[in-house]
Amino acid sequence: MRWESLFDDLEAQMAAAEAAEHAAEVADRVRAELARTSLADRLRAVVGQPVRVSVADHGPLTGVCLDVAPEWFVLRTDAGQALVPTAAVGWVDGLTREVAPPAGQVLRRLGLASALRALARDRTGLRVVTSAGTVTGTLDRVGADHVDVAEHPAGEPRRAVAVRGVLSVPFAALRVVHGAR
């Protein structure tokens, strides 16, 4: 009878050790997966839902998350749509614990320049918020790391007579690009 108790005790200890080892392995895998999770992955999980973001040199923006790529996302705000470079974000409120699956190849290629080129192609009137201030106008050209903004009054189409100047803005200085409503 003593031997049976000893073997039962050893089996229980072994089962507890295996359970602890399994729990540690699961925890390690969860930490490794979280370490690979980007802000864009978290934002893609809340597309269609409201979020609030703090943007450097701009302040908070509240809106519905419409579209997300690795370097930028679009919010529908009360003032219209806002293109926000992910690098300009200080914090995001409204994320869930959910994580979207990793972005596919096409989405991973849609950098900030791609979104800005679409705005330039459409000749959309914009308000461009930078680390140095705000400019209204139209994107004329999109380079590898900067945009040229033809400065003109908000609400007016880009016409040579209305352009007050062309400013080159590095991507690193971009905070928010508000589309005209």
Side-chain angles (χ1 to χ4, degrees):
M1 183 120 140
R2 236 177 50 188
W3 287 107
E4 286 178 11
S5 294
L6 177 64
F7 288 131
D8 288 344
D9 185 46
L10 289 173
E11 282 181 23
Q13 287 179 21
M14 176 147 331
E18 286 176 356
E21 185 178 328
H22 177 72
E25 183 177 339
V26 167
D28 283 345
R29 287 184 182 196
V30 167
R31 280 191 293 274
E33 186 175 322
L34 286 174
R36 290 188 301 270
T37 301
S38 69
L39 179 58
D41 294 336
R42 301 273 313 276
L43 282 164
R44 277 197 330 280
V46 297
V47 166
Q49 298 177 31
V51 295
R52 194 166 72 107
V53 300
S54 171
V55 180
D57 305 314
H58 183 280
L61 276 175
T62 301
V64 174
C65 187
L66 296 180
D67 201 3
V68 181
E71 295 180 8
W72 54 268
F73 58 96
V74 176
L75 294 179
R76 183 179 59 236
T77 69
D78 290 340
Q81 291 188 3
L83 172 70
V84 183
T86 308
V89 173
W91 50 258
V92 180
D93 183 28
L95 294 178
T96 64
R97 295 185 67 75
E98 300 297 315
V99 176
Q105 273 187 331
V106 173
L107 187 57
R108 282 195 309 264
R109 290 183 189 162
L110 292 178
L112 183 57
S114 298
L116 294 169
R117 280 189 198 97
L119 293 172
R121 179 195 64 230
D122 295 345
R123 308 305 286 167
T124 304
L126 306 165
R127 185 166 43 97
V128 179
V129 180
T130 73
S131 55
T134 301
V135 178
T136 59
T138 306
L139 297 184
D140 265 356
R141 291 190 288 184
V142 180
D145 62 354
H146 70 284
V147 292
D148 286 351
V149 181
E151 223 182 336
H152 58 81
E156 289 186 22
R158 188 209 185 286
R159 300 288 183 257
V161 295
V163 173
R164 296 184 295 237
V166 176
L167 301 175
S168 293
V169 180
F171 287 177
L174 284 176
R175 298 303 185 238
V176 178
V177 178
H178 290 281
R181 259 195 129 170

